[in-house]
Every structure is written in structure tokens, then in C-alpha cells.
Amino acid sequence: MIQMKQVSKTYYGDQVETKVLESVDLTVEKGEFVSLYGKSGCGKTTLLNLLGLIDTPTAGEYWLDEVNTGTCKPKELAGLRNRKIGFIFQSFYLISRLSVLDNVILPMKYAGVPRKEREERARILLAEVGLTERMNYLPSRLSGGEKQRTAIARALANHPAYILADEPTGSLDGENRDRIMEILTGLNQKGHTIVMVTHDKELAGYSSRIIQM
């Protein structure tokens, strides 16, 4: 379960103080599909980065599965992030010099998964998102929808309980957008907790709960 208690985030620079989030309380139960919905600049991505342990709050507490993340050292936070959280971004962030298969393998390599096991799991995940015939391609040979499906397979590599998606269909056409949302809905039905950032009310409708920001 995710719990945020009075979480705030302020950025400081060159005598300028920018408050992005202030006194946020948020609970996400295991198995939920939650959308953070709102216009650009309202703090959705900042909140997602805090949830994903990419950034830290200026104030307040963030508990992830009964762990107070504010008491964790950087190495402990990295371990939590690697074990429990899968990220999906609008810009994909695939490594251009690695094949589709190796992009999916990479998180498991960092996690110390044995080579045979990680290759087998990567092949299974790519089959699940319909990319068996593309696994030896470089990302430059993929369409936008194929890149995002690769990114989803990579996000699932280490069996994360939580999937955080930041505008996951923002750069895709309608057909690919629908396919990605069907995949995310299917993952939620299998038990993954999903938190998705979107400015699209129609996409937010796929979730079981919408949080207006």
C-alpha cells in the first residue's frame, strides 16, 4: 500500500522558491488503478516521481508497504525502487544501442537475476506484449507503439507490485493508445497496482479511481 501524509515539494534555485505540492495526503490500496488527472503544471509528474522514489519530499512522510521511505538511505531506496516499482514514460527511454530483448533484460541484470532466468523472462514478457518477432531489433526500427510495449515489458521485468505510468500514450496514435491502455488494464486485473498520470479525461476513465489535481 502507498501512503503519503502531508507531503510537500518545493524547489529552490537562484533566490526563487517554487512550491509544486503542498500538504498532500494520498492512499493507494494494493490492486487499485488510480489516475492523477489534471492540466500540465499542476504537479502530477512531481507526485509520480515522489511515489517512484526518483525524488524526495521537502516535508511529510511517504510510506511504501509499511516502510517509511524518509528513513531509508539512498542504497535502500534504490533497492526498494528496483524490487517494487516499474516505470513507464511517455518518451520510452529505451537504450538505443541495445536490442529490444536486452532493454528488457537490463533491470534484471542490475537486480542480480541469473542470465538464463532473465533471458527466459524477457522472452516471455515480449511475447505477452506481442513483440516476439521484434526482440532482436534496435529501438530505432520500432514504431512508437512498439517502443512503448517494449517499455512496458521492461517495467515488468522484476515482478513489480506497483506500475507508475507518466502519460504513457501521450505520443501515440489512437490505435496504439487503445492497445497500451488494454495492456495496462490487463495488468491491473492480474493484480498490479497502477498509478497513471494523464491530462486526458478519456484515458483517466480506464482507471478505477480518478484524483483531480
Side-chain angles (χ1 to χ4, degrees):
M1 183 171 68
I2 286 170
Q3 284 186 301
M4 283 188 161
K5 303 175 182 180
Q6 293 292 292
V7 165
S8 298
K9 183 63 182 180
T10 302
Y11 292 101
Y12 302 93
D14 296 332
Q15 300 180 338
V16 176
E17 180 179 301
T18 305
K19 291 184 179 180
V20 182
L21 298 171
E22 189 167 6
S23 301
V24 172
D25 289 316
L26 173 66
T27 299
V28 179
E29 301 286 349
K30 281 193 173 181
E32 277 198 282
F33 187 162
V34 174
S35 286
L36 305 178
Y37 169 71
K39 296 180 180 179
S40 296
C42 68
K44 304 186 302 296
T45 295
T46 297
L47 180 54
L48 201 72
N49 287 341
L50 295 176
L51 292 173
L53 305 174
I54 294 174
D55 204 351
T56 55
T58 307
E61 296 181 356
Y62 172 28
W63 292 73
L64 180 63
D65 289 345
E66 300 182 354
V67 175
N68 183 351
T69 62
T71 66
C72 294
K73 297 177 181 178
K75 188 174 181 178
E76 293 171 326
L77 290 176
L80 273 176
R81 188 167 56 241
N82 198 35
R83 291 193 312 274
K84 292 183 176 288
I85 298 170
F87 294 94
I88 305 168
F89 301 99
Q90 178 178 343
S91 299
F92 319 128
Y93 294 122
L94 301 177
I95 297 176
S96 61
R97 68 178 184 278
L98 297 182
S99 68
V100 166
L101 182 65
D102 286 336
N103 266 281
V104 177
I105 284 173
L106 194 60
M108 292 182 278
K109 187 175 181 180
Y110 287 143
V113 177
R115 180 174 179 177
K116 184 178 180 181
E117 183 180 336
R118 66 191 186 228
E119 288 187 2
E120 181 179 339
R121 176 157 175 76
R123 291 176 186 276
I124 290 171
L125 289 170
L126 287 169
E128 289 179 354
V129 297
L131 289 175
T132 296
E133 296 181 358
R134 297 287 191 270
M135 65 175 60
N136 293 316
Y137 282 26
L138 291 175
S140 59
R141 296 183 63 189
L142 302 179
S143 68
E146 289 169 341
K147 289 177 181 177
Q148 193 58 291
R149 282 185 277 149
T150 301
I152 290 173
R154 181 186 58 190
L156 295 171
N158 287 327
H159 305 275
Y162 302 95
I163 297 173
L164 306 183
D166 191 0
E167 300 281 5
T169 66
S171 59
L172 304 180
D173 60 30
E175 181 180 351
N176 279 302
R177 180 192 68 175
D178 292 344
R179 186 166 188 181
I180 294 302
M181 293 310 303
E182 287 171 5
I183 291 172
L184 291 178
T185 301
L187 291 171
N188 179 241
Q189 291 170 350
K190 291 178 181 178
H192 292 278
T193 304
I194 299 177
V195 181
M196 179 180 71
V197 160
T198 184
H199 66 274
D200 186 324
K201 196 166 187 177
E202 182 180 349
L203 290 185
Y206 280 88
S207 61
S208 54
R209 180 158 61 105
I210 300 172
I211 296 175
Q212 176 84 46
M213 294 186 67

